Amino acid sequence: MRTPFLLFTRSCKAIYRLQRSPFFSPVSALCRQQTISVLRNTSTVSCEDDRSYYITTPIFYVNASPHLGHLYSAVIADCLHRYKLLQGFNSKFATGTDEHGLKIQQAAEAAGKDPLIFCTNVSERFKHLFNSCDISYTDYIRTTEQRHHQAVKHFWSVLWNKGFIYKGSYEGWYSTQDESFLTALQVGDAVDSSGNEIKVSLDSGHKVEWMKEENYMFRLSAFRSQVLEWLKGNPRAIQPELFYQTVLQWLQEDLPDLSVSRQRSRLQWGIPVPGDADQTIYVWLDALVNYLTVAGYPDKHNQWWNVAHHIVGKDILKFHALYWPAFLLGAGLPLPQTIYVHSHWTVGGKKMSKSLGNVVDPLERSKKFTTDGMRYFLLRQGVPDSDCDYTDDKVFKLLNSELADSLGGLLNRCTAPALNPAQVYTAFCPQSFPSEQGCRAVVEDYHMLDAVKKLPAVVENHYESMHVYKALEAISACVRQTNGLVEWTVPFEGRALGSDTGVLFTRLENLSMDKQNLYKTKKAKK
Ligand code: MSP
């Protein structure tokens, strides 16, 4: 069941008001497909100019199918990539899957599958989701690829040769779910579903285990002051500001050296340490290097590696804002330009996760609400600084009010053939908007014009700081103001009186005095 809300006469897109049943528009899918191939083709061109831009999503763990939170990271990156293309940048956009580590090894075991087959299967699901949702990535990386193995081994050897990796031993807490080492202060007590007392990460709530192993350590402690210096000199390196402050806070404490390998006997599913087949490289070191692999490391990364921007969820800030800069400094490579951090989608107040059984299927929802609808919702309602709770009802209400009613209504009013038979961008009537005083326009109309004029700069500013929701809010406010103008100037009444041209907003004086007074009273009440 679908109700056409309006049809754009010069475009193949249609806007429909959402019904409470699923629908899908094959016409807009076709248009999107064309747009995507153009975006992909444009951005693979290699160029040496300073208008290169490189944006990445985190690479996604393949232990489970994608959920809405994953799509959110990808939609933000896609949005910034498209924005840069519109600005004329040569933009590279990487996404992909993180396939090594204990967590994946255990997931494959539990599924009774060969790890590579298991990874390929889930990786394809992510790819399918991103293709279906118009994520216009230019490179899809899998950490099981040969090019990545080479990059990681090279990167390791550089750190080793410079003396930043040493053989040692690690004793402490480890969370397999987060693939993260934790200090005693980061761990608390909890009880599992069977009533057993367990230790958990205070941050993620995931179970932790005590481990004691001989392995390789990275001299993280040696980089604390350099990372701090970098951040002090680049206050916009981590955005939004809230997360920048969080990292500065972390850096007030000492950084312990980091274990960067696991014994092969425990972890087989990973890249072996060069020169030591008994050890496997720590999955986070392996995963972070994906950004370099896509950039062409170790031979051809210079064009892209100076202009890298990472999108990350707040749960993985530590890895990107502490470990990654330290690794890069150790390897003598430039640091990322920006780390854009976003918060989480929750369901019933809890972070979406497979273990909690509260995941929202993004593919199913984008069929229900359309791809553009879902993308709009995520960007419009997702606030980077704080978590947002997801409900279908919120999507339904937002899309109907802002896209179908407000934007759709405005377009309908401006482009309906009966109102705008010439199908042109109409000029303002000189009696309505003269520069001198005494015209029919009222002060709100000038505010609207002013807001529309300033809109590109406002939007640009918000995009630059990853506040996409604020950009959309500003656009939506202009749409509302413009709708207000249309309501006040009643071009539809003018048409009823026989308006002949495509020039709108000219006819109030042609109405009977009664009607004019009615509209003026309505306006005054507002
Ligand atoms: N594999 C690591 C990233 C390595 S990057 C070198 C990882 N993978 S993940 O699949 O767990 O998460 C990928 C991204 O999805 C992260 O940015 C994470 O914050 C994001 N999200 C996961 N759950 C989320 C929500 N519920 N809401 C929003 N984003 C969430 O971490």
Side-chain angles (χ1 to χ4, degrees):
M1 245 311 268
R2 63 190 189 186
T3 315
F5 184 72
L6 78 118
L7 285 170
F8 291 44
T9 46
R10 298 235 170 134
S11 120
C12 51
K13 282 219 172 190
I15 293 183
Y16 299 102
R17 203 160 198 292
L18 291 167
Q19 303 297 300
R20 288 197 183 257
S21 59
F23 71 86
F24 181 62
S25 160
V27 180
S28 36
L30 183 70
C31 297
R32 278 199 304 271
Q33 215 40 58
Q34 284 160 356
T35 320
I36 289 306
S37 43
V38 169
L39 285 169
R40 293 219 171 104
N41 292 341
T42 336
S43 38
T44 48
V45 179
S46 152
C47 85
E48 298 295 329
D49 64 42
D50 60 352
R51 284 174 73 76
S52 294
Y53 182 85
Y54 174 32
I55 183 118
T56 68
T57 69
I59 46 170
F60 301 91
Y61 284 130
V62 289
N63 59 313
S65 288
H67 62 57
L68 194 78
H70 301 134
L71 179 63
Y72 181 52
S73 286
V75 168
I76 295 174
D78 186 47
C79 171
L80 296 187
H81 168 65
R82 287 165 185 261
Y83 163 66
K84 285 292 155 184
L85 288 178
L86 284 173
Q87 286 186 319
F89 278 78
N90 180 21
S91 178
K92 190 186 214 22
F93 168 19
T95 189
T97 43
D98 188 353
E99 306 188 6
H100 292 137
L102 205 51
K103 166 156 132 162
I104 310 298
Q105 182 176 300
Q106 290 175 354
E109 267 165 28
K113 296 223 171 101
D114 165 76
L116 186 58
I117 294 174
F118 176 80
C119 290
T120 304
N121 185 295
V122 184
S123 183
E124 283 301 316
R125 273 186 249 161
F126 274 93
K127 201 181 217 178
H128 175 63
L129 170 71
F130 295 156
N131 290 342
S132 307
C133 292
D134 296 345
I135 304 298
S136 51
Y137 59 83
T138 61
D139 200 328
Y140 190 88
I141 169 111
R142 296 182 54 189
T143 52
T144 43
E145 286 175 62
Q146 206 44 43
R147 60 171 173 158
H148 180 66
H149 282 225
Q150 276 162 8
V152 172
K153 285 181 178 161
H154 188 93
F155 191 79
W156 176 283
S157 305
V158 173
L159 294 178
W160 172 259
N161 290 335
K162 291 188 176 211
F164 295 125
I165 292 178
Y166 62 96
K167 191 110 194 234
S169 66
Y170 175 80
E171 185 169 359
W173 296 106
Y174 190 76
S175 158
T176 303
Q177 202 56 29
D178 304 324
E179 297 284 15
S180 178
F181 300 96
L182 299 140
T183 64
L185 291 176
Q186 295 168 318
V187 169
D189 296 312
V191 177
D192 70 10
S193 51
S194 327
N196 301 320
E197 286 188 356
I198 53 164
K199 297 280 183 192
V200 293
S201 154
L202 291 175
D203 205 24
S204 68
H206 291 138
K207 188 177 171 194
V208 298
E209 275 155 339
W210 189 257
M211 66 169 254
K212 187 175 178 192
E213 260 184 33
E214 277 245 312
N215 49 33
Y216 289 91
M217 303 293 290
F218 172 72
R219 293 189 198 281
L220 186 62
S221 53
F223 292 95
R224 191 184 72 90
S225 54
Q226 280 185 70
V227 175
L228 192 58
E229 223 171 89
W230 164 61
L231 287 178
K232 290 252 164 90
N234 296 279
R236 287 174 67 80
I238 298 176
Q239 293 182 37
E241 160 86 18
L242 162 77
F243 296 108
Y244 173 74
Q245 294 301 343
T246 307
V247 178
L248 287 186
Q249 198 58 42
W250 289 339
L251 285 162
Q252 296 313 308
E253 314 267 310
D254 281 343
L255 291 181
D257 285 355
L258 178 70
S259 162
V260 283
S261 72
R262 300 297 306 269
Q263 278 173 8
R264 196 92 191 148
S265 52
R266 280 168 166 268
L267 174 64
Q268 299 87 48
W269 188 236
I271 303 174
V273 165
D276 187 347
D278 291 338
Q279 295 273 329
T280 305
I281 295 178
Y282 173 42
V283 63
W284 266 101
L285 193 155
D286 169 343
L288 287 161
V289 173
N290 93 85
Y291 303 133
L292 280 170
T293 308
V294 171
Y297 186 81
D299 311 314
K300 304 184 292 270
H301 54 280
N302 288 343
Q303 177 192 351
W304 301 108
W305 198 247
N306 278 317
V307 289
H309 303 257
H310 302 310
I311 301 287
V312 302
K314 65 179 183 182
D315 53 326
I316 54 174
L317 181 57
K318 170 178 81 176
F319 305 96
H320 286 82
L322 299 181
Y323 301 176
W324 186 222
F327 290 156
L328 288 168
L329 286 165
L333 288 163
L335 300 188
Q337 299 282 298
T338 324
I339 300 171
Y340 290 114
V341 191
H342 66 74
S343 296
H344 291 147
W345 284 96
T346 56
V347 173
K350 298 221 164 69
K351 187 186 169 207
M352 220 176 280
S353 81
K354 190 187 165 199
S355 44
L356 288 176
N358 63 350
V359 293
V360 174
D361 178 351
L363 206 54
E364 189 248 314
R365 289 315 195 280
S366 47
K367 282 190 184 137
K368 177 170 175 155
F369 294 117
T370 74
T371 295
D372 288 338
M374 213 51 221
R375 291 168 58 105
Y376 183 78
F377 173 79
L378 290 174
L379 293 173
R380 176 74 174 90
Q381 292 273 299
V383 181
D385 311 64
S386 52
D387 291 350
C388 302
D389 209 51
Y390 177 89
T391 63
D392 280 347
D393 207 48
K394 278 188 190 168
V395 187
F396 191 82
K397 285 190 178 132
L398 179 86
L399 300 189
N400 274 345
S401 75
E402 287 196 357
L403 295 188
D405 293 346
S406 226
L407 179 65
L410 179 61
L411 282 163
N412 203 17
R413 286 162 156 182
C414 297
T415 61
L419 261 183
N420 187 349
Q423 295 290 287
V424 291
Y425 283 105
T426 55
F428 282 116
C429 158
Q431 290 146 300
S432 293
F433 283 103
S435 39
E436 311 91 51
Q437 289 191 333
C439 62
R440 284 198 303 269
V442 292
V443 67
E444 289 94 327
D445 300 332
Y446 283 102
H447 285 163
M448 180 277 290
L449 279 187
D450 196 41
V452 172
K453 208 157 116 196
K454 288 184 180 144
L455 190 58
V458 169
V459 168
E460 183 170 349
N461 192 26
H462 292 319
Y463 266 56
E464 291 295 338
S465 54
M466 208 192 82
H467 281 116
V468 180
Y469 78 99
K470 285 193 184 165
L472 296 179
E473 198 170 77
I475 294 169
S476 196
C478 278
V479 169
R480 274 198 306 277
Q481 281 173 292
T482 315
N483 260 324
L485 175 80
V486 176
E487 263 163 40
W488 162 234
T489 51
V490 288
F492 19 86
E493 291 288 353
R495 181 191 53 80
L497 288 166
S499 167
D500 48 348
T501 69
V503 177
L504 302 179
F505 318 133
T506 61
R507 296 289 170 175
L508 190 61
E509 79 283 8
N510 287 343
L511 302 182
S512 68
M513 280 315 287
D514 279 358
K515 273 210 164 160
Q516 284 194 37
N517 288 336
L518 183 73
Y519 283 118
K520 282 176 183 157
T521 325
K522 256 171 83 181
K523 178 85 175 167
K525 275 191 189 150
K526 279 191 179 171

